[in-house]
Amino acid sequence: MTVATTPCQIMKVTLITSTYNFPRALTLCLDSILTQTRMPDEIVIADDGSDDRTKEVVRRFIGKTSIPVKHVWQENHGFGKTAAMNKGFAVSTGDYIIQIDGDIIMERHFVEDHLRYARK
């Protein structure tokens, strides 16, 4: 497989993570962003109606990073992950979107590896 050229590596990257009432997992997920060898340019948290514990996790994370963070929230009406993610896509500004779940702990090259194989 051919490695991407520089233009793909300089794209604006949005990392979107879904979440629902699992603040401990979201904390670990967000903390794994801070270890990346290539940081995303924007983080969007697509929240399917979590309670205030998740809002607190997001608030604390915003204090740890200079990366812009957007928290989109929708009322809980049962499983609505897809609708929450669509709201996240709608507010994202990246050229390249990486989508994960809120219980994923990313290896430190996760974003860099995505960009290595990205194509226009």
Side-chain angles (χ1 to χ4, degrees):
M1 180 173 264
T2 307
V3 176
T5 59
T6 304
C8 289
Q9 294 173 350
I10 60 170
M11 290 187 292
K12 182 175 180 183
V13 176
T14 298
L15 180 73
I16 300 179
T17 184
S18 60
T19 192
Y20 173 70
N21 277 338
F22 198 177
R24 178 66 181 138
L26 183 62
T27 298
L28 295 171
C29 175
L30 295 175
D31 284 348
S32 74
I33 294 171
L34 301 176
T35 69
Q36 294 300 299
T37 56
R38 198 306 192 169
M39 293 292 177
D41 300 292
E42 171 183 63
I43 299 163
V44 177
I45 301 162
D47 190 339
D48 185 22
S50 298
D51 59 35
D52 288 341
R53 296 173 300 153
T54 297
K55 291 176 186 165
E56 180 59 23
V57 167
V58 173
R59 187 192 65 73
R60 282 194 316 265
F61 179 72
I62 289 171
K64 295 180 184 179
T65 184
S66 61
I67 301 168
V69 178
K70 298 176 183 174
H71 182 201
V72 295
W73 183 90
Q74 67 182 16
E75 210 168 299
N76 182 1
H77 294 293
F79 186 75
K81 175 185 173 184
T82 304
M85 290 299 285
N86 284 341
K87 288 181 182 202
F89 294 132
V91 301
S92 69
T93 61
D95 303 308
Y96 186 78
I97 295 173
I98 300 172
Q99 175 184 338
I100 62 171
D101 288 333
D103 59 355
I104 299 296
I105 298 173
M106 294 170 281
E107 190 273 335
R108 67 188 192 98
H109 298 100
F110 188 83
V111 173
E112 179 183 348
D113 287 345
H114 260 273
L115 291 176
R116 179 176 297 125
Y117 299 105
R119 301 291 177 263
K120 268 193 161 185

